[in-house]
Amino acid sequence: MTTTNSASAGLSALPRTMHAVLLNGLGGLDRLEYRTDVAVPQPGPGEVLIQVRAAGVNNTDINTRIGWYSKSVGQATASGGARGFERVDATDASWSGKGLEFPRIQGADCCGYIVAVGCDVPSSRIGERVLVRNMLRSHVGFRPFECWTFGSECDGAFAQFAVAPAGETHKVVCDWSDAELASVPCSYSTAENMLHRVHLGAERVLVAGASGGVGSAAVQLAKRRGATVIALCSASKADEVRALGADQVIDRRADLFSVLGENSIDVVLDVVGGEQWPDFLRVLRRGGRYATAGAIAGPLAELDLRTLYLKDLTLMGCTFQDDEVFSNLIAYIEAGEIRPVVAKTFALKDIRQAQEEFLNKGFVGKLVLIVPETAG
């Protein structure tokens, strides 16, 4: 095994510029600029350079672009997804609660091949097919409950090349397409992290937003753990969600309390929030657990504290991920235990169209951007 000690290995044969999508500030789709003359990044010590082949589209890409993470925003993602919000406090509009640096290359989902390595990284890693853990820990010294989001606090995968920490770039051996692999990092790690936090077993679990990227992942991952899965989605998507493994599918507009009854659910997994949120607590059994990793239907909710304490409920916010969460996902892939659903692919240059379709929510699974391999 050869390790580079000073200069980066593999860079001499690479182009100096690349195609990339730049986010030039908070706002609407017009803030996304497709460029063909962006400098190829250089891997530093302990880093690898990845030739990106595919990158998934996620809520976080849109939420970051429009500044939805700022406490100054109280609306649902879709209300500002295309045009942005009229007023946003840019100083806290990120995962970390700090202002973003622009221009930024977004993209939390990265599937590609290592083409160069920085010093102290074995040159034998060149050629590996990899996924990048989207919740990066190395940038914050691996401190508990701190992380950087790939494509938010640092540049991500909406480009032909991306730099990532070598220790958080995972080799994957499987027969999946690039688009399928690019569906995994953000959605599947978010879903697996919620299951990990609540220690889900062979229980009754309600998955809100079950047709989306995180929701469809949660259905599969919960079934893998032996759970009985009740999925919440629009009626038009029921058959597709049932095919993912859901035992019961409920129309998202239904009265949950009437359909399920009080104290009928062990665990709720939620990335939706919004007006239906109080019903999630009503259907939870005494001692039940609720986990959230998103609130696309609205971040503000009304909580009756009597429901919380009289039912001995546990409410969990899930962002930070223990190291084993992503490692476990790689193992599931290689063992053939999960398989994502790719609804549609787009060329990287068509990112605005992809995000518009994402906001319309007329699909099940993931939308994925295919990155051109050459500068032409």
Short mmCIF file of all heavy atoms in Angstrom, two decimals, residues 46-48 50 95-96 107-108 110 131-157 162-170 185 189 319-323 326:
data_model
loop_
_atom_site.label_atom_id
_atom_site.label_comp_id
_atom_site.label_asym_id
_atom_site.label_seq_id
_atom_site.Cartn_x
_atom_site.Cartn_y
_atom_site.Cartn_z
N GLY A 46 -5.69 14.25 4.35
CA GLY A 46 -6.79 13.44 4.85
C GLY A 46 -8.04 13.49 4.00
O GLY A 46 -9.10 13.02 4.44
N GLU A 47 -7.96 14.02 2.78
CA GLU A 47 -9.13 14.16 1.92
C GLU A 47 -8.96 13.38 0.63
O GLU A 47 -7.84 13.01 0.24
CB GLU A 47 -9.39 15.63 1.59
CG GLU A 47 -9.78 16.48 2.78
CD GLU A 47 -10.06 17.91 2.41
OE1 GLU A 47 -9.46 18.41 1.41
OE2 GLU A 47 -10.87 18.56 3.10
N VAL A 48 -10.09 13.14 -0.04
CA VAL A 48 -10.09 12.52 -1.36
C VAL A 48 -10.84 13.41 -2.33
O VAL A 48 -11.69 14.22 -1.94
CB VAL A 48 -10.75 11.11 -1.33
CG1 VAL A 48 -9.96 10.17 -0.45
CG2 VAL A 48 -12.21 11.19 -0.87
N ILE A 50 -13.35 13.22 -5.51
CA ILE A 50 -14.31 12.29 -6.11
C ILE A 50 -14.81 12.84 -7.43
O ILE A 50 -15.19 14.02 -7.51
CB ILE A 50 -15.50 12.08 -5.16
CG1 ILE A 50 -15.02 11.53 -3.82
CG2 ILE A 50 -16.55 11.16 -5.78
CD1 ILE A 50 -16.05 11.67 -2.71
N TRP A 95 -28.03 24.54 8.65
CA TRP A 95 -28.11 23.44 9.62
C TRP A 95 -27.42 23.82 10.93
O TRP A 95 -27.89 23.49 12.01
CB TRP A 95 -27.42 22.20 9.05
CG TRP A 95 -28.20 21.41 8.07
CD1 TRP A 95 -28.34 21.66 6.74
CD2 TRP A 95 -28.95 20.21 8.33
NE1 TRP A 95 -29.12 20.69 6.14
CE2 TRP A 95 -29.50 19.80 7.10
CE3 TRP A 95 -29.18 19.46 9.47
CZ2 TRP A 95 -30.28 18.65 6.99
CZ3 TRP A 95 -29.96 18.32 9.36
CH2 TRP A 95 -30.51 17.93 8.13
N SER A 96 -26.29 24.48 10.81
CA SER A 96 -25.49 24.79 11.99
C SER A 96 -25.98 26.01 12.75
O SER A 96 -25.47 26.32 13.83
CB SER A 96 -24.03 25.01 11.58
OG SER A 96 -23.92 26.15 10.73
N GLY A 107 -25.63 19.91 -2.67
CA GLY A 107 -25.68 18.49 -3.02
C GLY A 107 -25.24 17.61 -1.88
O GLY A 107 -24.04 17.35 -1.70
N ALA A 108 -26.20 17.12 -1.09
CA ALA A 108 -25.88 16.28 0.07
C ALA A 108 -25.59 14.84 -0.32
O ALA A 108 -24.94 14.11 0.43
CB ALA A 108 -27.05 16.32 1.07
N CYS A 110 -23.76 12.17 -2.65
CA CYS A 110 -22.64 12.05 -3.58
C CYS A 110 -22.32 10.60 -3.85
O CYS A 110 -21.92 9.86 -2.95
CB CYS A 110 -21.40 12.74 -3.02
SG CYS A 110 -19.96 12.65 -4.10
N LEU A 131 -19.60 6.38 -1.60
CA LEU A 131 -20.63 7.29 -1.11
C LEU A 131 -20.01 8.12 0.00
O LEU A 131 -19.21 7.62 0.79
CB LEU A 131 -21.84 6.53 -0.56
CG LEU A 131 -22.72 5.77 -1.55
CD1 LEU A 131 -23.82 5.04 -0.80
CD2 LEU A 131 -23.32 6.71 -2.59
N VAL A 132 -20.44 9.39 0.09
CA VAL A 132 -19.96 10.28 1.15
C VAL A 132 -21.02 10.37 2.23
O VAL A 132 -22.20 10.60 1.94
CB VAL A 132 -19.65 11.68 0.60
CG1 VAL A 132 -19.22 12.62 1.74
CG2 VAL A 132 -18.57 11.62 -0.46
N ARG A 133 -20.59 10.18 3.47
CA ARG A 133 -21.52 10.40 4.59
C ARG A 133 -21.91 11.87 4.59
O ARG A 133 -21.06 12.75 4.67
CB ARG A 133 -20.86 10.03 5.92
CG ARG A 133 -21.77 10.31 7.11
CD ARG A 133 -21.30 9.61 8.37
NE ARG A 133 -20.07 10.17 8.91
CZ ARG A 133 -19.52 9.75 10.06
NH1 ARG A 133 -20.08 8.75 10.73
NH2 ARG A 133 -18.41 10.28 10.50
N ASN A 134 -23.21 12.14 4.49
CA ASN A 134 -23.65 13.53 4.32
C ASN A 134 -23.57 14.35 5.60
O ASN A 134 -23.43 15.57 5.55
CB ASN A 134 -25.08 13.58 3.77
CG ASN A 134 -26.06 12.83 4.64
OD1 ASN A 134 -25.92 11.61 4.81
ND2 ASN A 134 -27.04 13.51 5.16
N MET A 135 -23.64 13.71 6.77
CA MET A 135 -23.49 14.42 8.03
C MET A 135 -22.05 14.24 8.50
O MET A 135 -21.70 13.26 9.17
CB MET A 135 -24.47 13.89 9.07
CG MET A 135 -25.94 13.95 8.63
SD MET A 135 -26.49 15.60 8.10
CE MET A 135 -26.40 16.50 9.62
N LEU A 136 -21.19 15.18 8.13
CA LEU A 136 -19.75 15.05 8.36
C LEU A 136 -19.37 15.40 9.79
O LEU A 136 -19.80 16.42 10.32
CB LEU A 136 -19.00 15.97 7.39
CG LEU A 136 -19.21 15.69 5.90
CD1 LEU A 136 -18.55 16.78 5.07
CD2 LEU A 136 -18.66 14.32 5.52
N ARG A 137 -18.53 14.56 10.39
CA ARG A 137 -18.10 14.76 11.77
C ARG A 137 -16.66 15.24 11.89
O ARG A 137 -16.29 15.83 12.91
CB ARG A 137 -18.29 13.47 12.56
CG ARG A 137 -19.74 12.99 12.62
CD ARG A 137 -19.90 11.93 13.69
NE ARG A 137 -19.55 12.45 14.99
CZ ARG A 137 -19.12 11.70 16.01
NH1 ARG A 137 -18.99 10.40 15.86
NH2 ARG A 137 -18.82 12.26 17.16
N SER A 138 -15.84 14.95 10.89
CA SER A 138 -14.42 15.28 11.01
C SER A 138 -14.18 16.78 11.11
O SER A 138 -13.24 17.23 11.77
CB SER A 138 -13.63 14.69 9.83
OG SER A 138 -14.14 15.16 8.60
N HIS A 139 -15.03 17.57 10.47
CA HIS A 139 -14.85 19.03 10.47
C HIS A 139 -15.07 19.65 11.86
O HIS A 139 -14.66 20.78 12.10
CB HIS A 139 -15.81 19.68 9.48
CG HIS A 139 -15.48 19.38 8.04
ND1 HIS A 139 -14.34 19.84 7.42
CD2 HIS A 139 -16.14 18.65 7.10
CE1 HIS A 139 -14.32 19.42 6.17
NE2 HIS A 139 -15.39 18.69 5.94
N VAL A 140 -15.73 18.93 12.74
CA VAL A 140 -15.99 19.44 14.10
C VAL A 140 -15.33 18.55 15.15
O VAL A 140 -15.77 18.49 16.29
CB VAL A 140 -17.50 19.58 14.38
CG1 VAL A 140 -18.12 20.68 13.54
CG2 VAL A 140 -18.23 18.26 14.11
N GLY A 141 -14.26 17.87 14.74
CA GLY A 141 -13.50 17.09 15.69
C GLY A 141 -14.24 15.91 16.29
O GLY A 141 -13.90 15.48 17.41
N PHE A 142 -15.25 15.41 15.61
CA PHE A 142 -16.04 14.26 16.07
C PHE A 142 -16.68 14.50 17.44
O PHE A 142 -16.91 13.57 18.21
CB PHE A 142 -15.16 12.99 16.10
CG PHE A 142 -14.84 12.47 14.74
CD1 PHE A 142 -13.77 12.99 14.01
CD2 PHE A 142 -15.61 11.49 14.14
CE1 PHE A 142 -13.48 12.52 12.74
CE2 PHE A 142 -15.32 11.02 12.87
CZ PHE A 142 -14.25 11.55 12.17
N ARG A 143 -17.01 15.75 17.72
CA ARG A 143 -17.70 16.05 18.98
C ARG A 143 -19.16 15.60 18.88
O ARG A 143 -19.79 15.79 17.84
CB ARG A 143 -17.63 17.55 19.29
CG ARG A 143 -16.23 18.04 19.60
CD ARG A 143 -16.23 19.50 20.04
NE ARG A 143 -16.64 20.39 18.97
CZ ARG A 143 -15.81 20.92 18.07
NH1 ARG A 143 -14.53 20.62 18.09
NH2 ARG A 143 -16.26 21.75 17.14
N PRO A 144 -19.70 15.04 19.95
CA PRO A 144 -21.10 14.57 19.93
C PRO A 144 -22.08 15.71 19.63
O PRO A 144 -21.91 16.83 20.11
CB PRO A 144 -21.31 14.01 21.33
CG PRO A 144 -19.94 13.67 21.82
CD PRO A 144 -19.04 14.71 21.22
N PHE A 145 -23.08 15.40 18.83
CA PHE A 145 -24.17 16.30 18.48
C PHE A 145 -23.71 17.54 17.72
O PHE A 145 -24.39 18.57 17.71
CB PHE A 145 -24.99 16.69 19.72
CG PHE A 145 -25.64 15.50 20.37
CD1 PHE A 145 -25.12 14.97 21.55
CD2 PHE A 145 -26.71 14.87 19.77
CE1 PHE A 145 -25.71 13.85 22.13
CE2 PHE A 145 -27.29 13.75 20.34
CZ PHE A 145 -26.78 13.23 21.52
N GLU A 146 -22.57 17.44 17.06
CA GLU A 146 -22.13 18.48 16.14
C GLU A 146 -21.81 17.82 14.80
O GLU A 146 -21.28 16.72 14.75
CB GLU A 146 -20.88 19.20 16.66
CG GLU A 146 -21.11 20.04 17.89
CD GLU A 146 -19.89 20.87 18.25
OE1 GLU A 146 -19.31 21.51 17.34
OE2 GLU A 146 -19.49 20.86 19.43
N CYS A 147 -22.13 18.52 13.72
CA CYS A 147 -21.82 17.99 12.39
C CYS A 147 -21.94 19.09 11.35
O CYS A 147 -22.56 20.12 11.58
CB CYS A 147 -22.73 16.81 12.03
SG CYS A 147 -24.50 17.13 12.27
N TRP A 148 -21.28 18.85 10.22
CA TRP A 148 -21.43 19.69 9.03
C TRP A 148 -22.24 18.91 8.02
O TRP A 148 -22.09 17.69 7.92
CB TRP A 148 -20.07 20.01 8.41
CG TRP A 148 -19.34 21.15 9.04
CD1 TRP A 148 -19.51 21.66 10.28
CD2 TRP A 148 -18.29 21.90 8.43
NE1 TRP A 148 -18.65 22.69 10.49
CE2 TRP A 148 -17.87 22.87 9.37
CE3 TRP A 148 -17.66 21.85 7.18
CZ2 TRP A 148 -16.86 23.78 9.10
CZ3 TRP A 148 -16.64 22.75 6.92
CH2 TRP A 148 -16.25 23.71 7.87
N THR A 149 -23.06 19.60 7.27
CA THR A 149 -23.80 18.94 6.21
C THR A 149 -23.07 19.13 4.88
O THR A 149 -22.75 20.26 4.48
CB THR A 149 -25.22 19.51 6.09
OG1 THR A 149 -25.88 19.37 7.34
CG2 THR A 149 -26.02 18.75 5.03
N PHE A 150 -22.79 18.00 4.21
CA PHE A 150 -22.16 18.03 2.90
C PHE A 150 -23.08 18.80 1.95
O PHE A 150 -24.26 18.48 1.80
CB PHE A 150 -21.96 16.59 2.42
CG PHE A 150 -21.04 16.42 1.25
CD1 PHE A 150 -19.70 16.78 1.35
CD2 PHE A 150 -21.48 15.89 0.05
CE1 PHE A 150 -18.83 16.61 0.28
CE2 PHE A 150 -20.63 15.71 -1.02
CZ PHE A 150 -19.30 16.08 -0.90
N GLY A 151 -22.55 19.86 1.33
CA GLY A 151 -23.36 20.68 0.44
C GLY A 151 -24.02 21.85 1.13
O GLY A 151 -24.80 22.58 0.51
N SER A 152 -23.69 22.05 2.42
CA SER A 152 -24.24 23.19 3.15
C SER A 152 -23.10 23.96 3.83
O SER A 152 -22.75 25.06 3.42
CB SER A 152 -25.26 22.73 4.20
OG SER A 152 -25.72 23.80 4.99
N GLU A 153 -22.49 23.35 4.82
CA GLU A 153 -21.35 23.98 5.48
C GLU A 153 -20.06 23.83 4.67
O GLU A 153 -19.06 24.48 4.97
CB GLU A 153 -21.15 23.40 6.89
CG GLU A 153 -22.13 23.94 7.93
CD GLU A 153 -23.57 23.52 7.67
OE1 GLU A 153 -23.81 22.33 7.40
OE2 GLU A 153 -24.45 24.40 7.71
N CYS A 154 -20.07 22.96 3.69
CA CYS A 154 -18.96 22.83 2.75
C CYS A 154 -19.54 22.46 1.39
O CYS A 154 -20.71 22.08 1.29
CB CYS A 154 -17.96 21.76 3.22
SG CYS A 154 -18.65 20.09 3.34
N ASP A 155 -18.74 22.58 0.34
CA ASP A 155 -19.23 22.27 -1.01
C ASP A 155 -19.58 20.79 -1.14
O ASP A 155 -18.95 19.92 -0.52
CB ASP A 155 -18.18 22.64 -2.06
CG ASP A 155 -18.11 24.14 -2.29
OD1 ASP A 155 -19.05 24.84 -1.91
OD2 ASP A 155 -17.09 24.60 -2.86
N GLY A 156 -20.61 20.50 -1.97
CA GLY A 156 -21.12 19.15 -2.11
C GLY A 156 -21.05 18.61 -3.52
O GLY A 156 -20.11 18.89 -4.27
N ALA A 157 -22.10 17.87 -3.90
CA ALA A 157 -22.05 16.98 -5.07
C ALA A 157 -22.67 17.52 -6.34
O ALA A 157 -22.69 16.80 -7.35
CB ALA A 157 -22.73 15.65 -4.71
N ALA A 162 -15.82 16.64 -6.37
CA ALA A 162 -16.07 17.09 -5.00
C ALA A 162 -14.99 16.54 -4.09
O ALA A 162 -14.49 15.43 -4.28
CB ALA A 162 -17.45 16.62 -4.53
N VAL A 163 -14.65 17.31 -3.07
CA VAL A 163 -13.68 16.90 -2.05
C VAL A 163 -14.43 16.47 -0.81
O VAL A 163 -15.44 17.08 -0.43
CB VAL A 163 -12.71 18.06 -1.73
CG1 VAL A 163 -11.97 17.80 -0.43
CG2 VAL A 163 -11.73 18.26 -2.87
N ALA A 164 -13.95 15.40 -0.17
CA ALA A 164 -14.57 14.92 1.06
C ALA A 164 -13.51 14.29 1.96
O ALA A 164 -12.47 13.83 1.47
CB ALA A 164 -15.66 13.88 0.74
N PRO A 165 -13.76 14.26 3.27
CA PRO A 165 -12.82 13.59 4.18
C PRO A 165 -12.72 12.11 3.84
O PRO A 165 -13.73 11.44 3.64
CB PRO A 165 -13.45 13.79 5.56
CG PRO A 165 -14.37 14.96 5.40
CD PRO A 165 -14.89 14.88 4.00
N ALA A 166 -11.49 11.59 3.76
CA ALA A 166 -11.29 10.19 3.39
C ALA A 166 -11.99 9.25 4.35
O ALA A 166 -12.57 8.24 3.94
CB ALA A 166 -9.79 9.89 3.34
N GLY A 167 -11.96 9.57 5.65
CA GLY A 167 -12.55 8.70 6.66
C GLY A 167 -14.06 8.66 6.62
O GLY A 167 -14.68 7.79 7.25
N GLU A 168 -14.68 9.61 5.91
CA GLU A 168 -16.14 9.67 5.82
C GLU A 168 -16.62 9.40 4.39
O GLU A 168 -17.77 9.66 4.05
CB GLU A 168 -16.63 11.02 6.33
CG GLU A 168 -16.20 11.25 7.78
CD GLU A 168 -16.81 12.46 8.41
OE1 GLU A 168 -17.92 12.34 8.95
OE2 GLU A 168 -16.18 13.54 8.36
N THR A 169 -15.70 8.87 3.59
CA THR A 169 -16.00 8.47 2.22
C THR A 169 -15.91 6.95 2.16
O THR A 169 -14.85 6.37 2.36
CB THR A 169 -15.01 9.10 1.23
OG1 THR A 169 -15.09 10.53 1.34
CG2 THR A 169 -15.32 8.71 -0.19
N HIS A 170 -17.06 6.30 1.93
CA HIS A 170 -17.18 4.86 2.09
C HIS A 170 -17.19 4.13 0.77
O HIS A 170 -17.99 4.43 -0.12
CB HIS A 170 -18.48 4.53 2.84
CG HIS A 170 -18.50 5.01 4.26
ND1 HIS A 170 -18.46 4.16 5.34
CD2 HIS A 170 -18.56 6.27 4.78
CE1 HIS A 170 -18.50 4.85 6.45
NE2 HIS A 170 -18.55 6.14 6.14
N PRO A 185 -27.40 8.47 0.59
CA PRO A 185 -26.77 9.15 1.72
C PRO A 185 -27.68 9.97 2.61
O PRO A 185 -27.74 9.76 3.82
CB PRO A 185 -25.70 10.02 1.04
CG PRO A 185 -25.34 9.25 -0.17
CD PRO A 185 -26.64 8.67 -0.66
N SER A 189 -29.86 7.65 5.43
CA SER A 189 -29.20 7.87 6.72
C SER A 189 -30.13 8.60 7.68
O SER A 189 -30.13 8.34 8.88
CB SER A 189 -27.90 8.63 6.55
OG SER A 189 -28.10 9.98 6.17
N THR A 319 -30.83 14.72 14.13
CA THR A 319 -29.95 15.26 13.10
C THR A 319 -28.59 14.59 13.18
O THR A 319 -28.16 13.91 12.25
CB THR A 319 -29.78 16.78 13.24
OG1 THR A 319 -31.04 17.41 12.98
CG2 THR A 319 -28.75 17.32 12.26
N PHE A 320 -27.88 14.76 14.28
CA PHE A 320 -26.58 14.12 14.48
C PHE A 320 -26.72 12.60 14.36
O PHE A 320 -27.68 12.01 14.84
CB PHE A 320 -26.04 14.48 15.87
CG PHE A 320 -24.82 13.71 16.28
CD1 PHE A 320 -23.57 14.09 15.85
CD2 PHE A 320 -24.93 12.59 17.09
CE1 PHE A 320 -22.44 13.37 16.22
CE2 PHE A 320 -23.83 11.87 17.47
CZ PHE A 320 -22.57 12.26 17.04
N GLN A 321 -25.72 11.99 13.71
CA GLN A 321 -25.75 10.53 13.51
C GLN A 321 -24.52 9.87 14.11
O GLN A 321 -23.39 10.30 13.85
CB GLN A 321 -25.82 10.21 12.01
CG GLN A 321 -27.07 10.73 11.32
CD GLN A 321 -27.04 10.53 9.81
OE1 GLN A 321 -26.16 9.86 9.27
NE2 GLN A 321 -28.02 11.11 9.11
N ASP A 322 -24.76 8.84 14.91
CA ASP A 322 -23.65 8.02 15.38
C ASP A 322 -22.95 7.39 14.18
O ASP A 322 -23.55 7.14 13.15
CB ASP A 322 -24.15 6.92 16.32
CG ASP A 322 -24.63 7.47 17.66
OD1 ASP A 322 -24.03 8.45 18.14
OD2 ASP A 322 -25.60 6.92 18.22
N ASP A 323 -21.67 7.10 14.34
CA ASP A 323 -20.87 6.61 13.22
C ASP A 323 -21.45 5.34 12.59
O ASP A 323 -21.36 5.14 11.37
CB ASP A 323 -19.43 6.33 13.68
CG ASP A 323 -18.68 7.60 14.02
OD1 ASP A 323 -19.14 8.69 13.63
OD2 ASP A 323 -17.63 7.51 14.69
N PHE A 326 -24.22 5.23 9.24
CA PHE A 326 -23.86 5.18 7.82
C PHE A 326 -23.15 3.88 7.48
O PHE A 326 -23.37 3.30 6.41
CB PHE A 326 -22.98 6.38 7.44
CG PHE A 326 -23.07 6.74 5.98
CD1 PHE A 326 -24.08 7.55 5.51
CD2 PHE A 326 -22.14 6.26 5.07
CE1 PHE A 326 -24.18 7.87 4.16
CE2 PHE A 326 -22.22 6.57 3.73
CZ PHE A 326 -23.25 7.38 3.26
#
